[in-house]
Amino acid sequence: INALTEALHPAEVRSTSMSFNAEQLTAIELALQGKSFCLIGAAGTGKTTVTQEIISRLQRASHVLPLADDTKHLIRDNPGIVICGFTNKAVNNIRKKLPEHLQKHCLTIHKLLEYAPTYYEVINDEGVPATTMRFEPRRNGANPLPHISTIIFEESSMIGTDLYGQVIAALPMPSRTQIIMLGDLNQIPPVFGPSILGFKLAELTTVELTHVYR
């Protein structure tokens, strides 16, 4: 194990039976330093395993604060860590391996933003008043989420820029939230619009896992 990692976190390194390669250790160190970054790699390169290790250690990191308030899905006083994705399938692999108190913090972006039906009165093509409905986020700049210290976006190649922008708009202090983008460049693109991952790869430090373990 990397000597710098052992020097900074000796107890944590010795307490785990898992051994990590150099790229995985780099991702763990960036996470513990509170840095935002992208972690990419094909299936079988250990993204989920290293993400579980990151979440485990982040719960004790100095920059991760307890949530100050409950939301519909997040729990007050739990570590301010959220793992979210476009679909339930994207986050299920991580959720089932999390400690129980964090499982509710592993959810779809639409649940995080509390999407719900909103009804509007409109005039239809015949000039008659009618009711229409669309799903909209309840959490936004006017009704922000509590401060979240770290958000991990799973399968971020599937997340469109508009949906990502809604998450950022709903954060009370977005510049103080650590963003970790997980992704595989070979995954399918978003249903709507361009993928946020491409923009973040150009903006943030990127760690690529290349060794396939299965």
Side-chain angles (χ1 to χ4, degrees), residues 115-154:
Y115 262 75
T118 301
Y119 296 90
Y120 295 92
E121 293 296 323
V122 297
I123 304 298
N124 64 21
D125 294 340
E126 288 74 40
V128 177
T131 300
T132 186
M133 182 273 287
R134 13 182 226 267
F135 282 92
E136 295 183 345
R138 292 285 186 263
R139 293 290 178 168
N140 49 44
N143 180 34
L145 294 160
H147 172 62
I148 300 171
S149 301
T150 302
I151 300 181
I152 300 173
F153 290 92
E154 174 64 297

Side-chain angles (χ1 to χ4, degrees), residues 25 33 36 50 52 63 66 79 82 85 102 112 117 135 147 168 184:
L25 286 171
Q33 292 164 9
S36 294
V50 77
Q52 290 168 341
H63 70 278
V82 167
L102 275 183
L112 175 67
F135 282 92
H147 172 62
I168 298 304
D184 178 348

Side-chain angles (χ1 to χ4, degrees), residues 16-21 24 27-28 39 44-57 93-94 97 154 182 209 213-214:
T16 180
S17 59
M18 181 68 61
S19 118
F20 297 100
N21 65 34
Q24 291 170 327
I28 292 169
L39 177 61
T45 55
K47 289 193 308 296
T48 299
T49 299
V50 77
T51 299
Q52 290 168 341
E53 184 72 12
I54 284 170
I55 294 168
S56 174
R57 298 195 192 189
N93 281 344
I94 294 178
K97 296 177 182 177
E154 174 64 297
L182 308 180
L209 305 183
Y213 290 91
R214 59 178 171 82

Side-chain angles (χ1 to χ4, degrees), residues 51-117:
T51 299
Q52 290 168 341
E53 184 72 12
I54 284 170
I55 294 168
S56 174
R57 298 195 192 189
L58 278 178
Q59 293 181 71
R60 302 183 294 277
S62 60
H63 70 278
V64 174
L65 305 175
L67 286 179
D69 292 296
D70 287 310
T71 74
K72 187 175 180 181
H73 300 286
L74 306 181
I75 303 171
R76 179 179 179 176
D77 294 330
N78 268 1
I81 302 168
V82 167
I83 306 93
C84 61
F86 185 71
T87 65
N88 259 318
K89 184 178 179 181
V91 292
N92 270 346
N93 281 344
I94 294 178
R95 181 193 294 121
K96 63 189 179 184
K97 296 177 182 177
L98 288 177
E100 186 175 353
H101 69 282
L102 275 183
Q103 287 183 0
K104 287 191 175 181
H105 287 209
C106 194
L107 70 179
T108 65
I109 295 174
H110 292 86
K111 280 187 176 180
L112 175 67
L113 295 176
E114 299 176 19
Y115 262 75

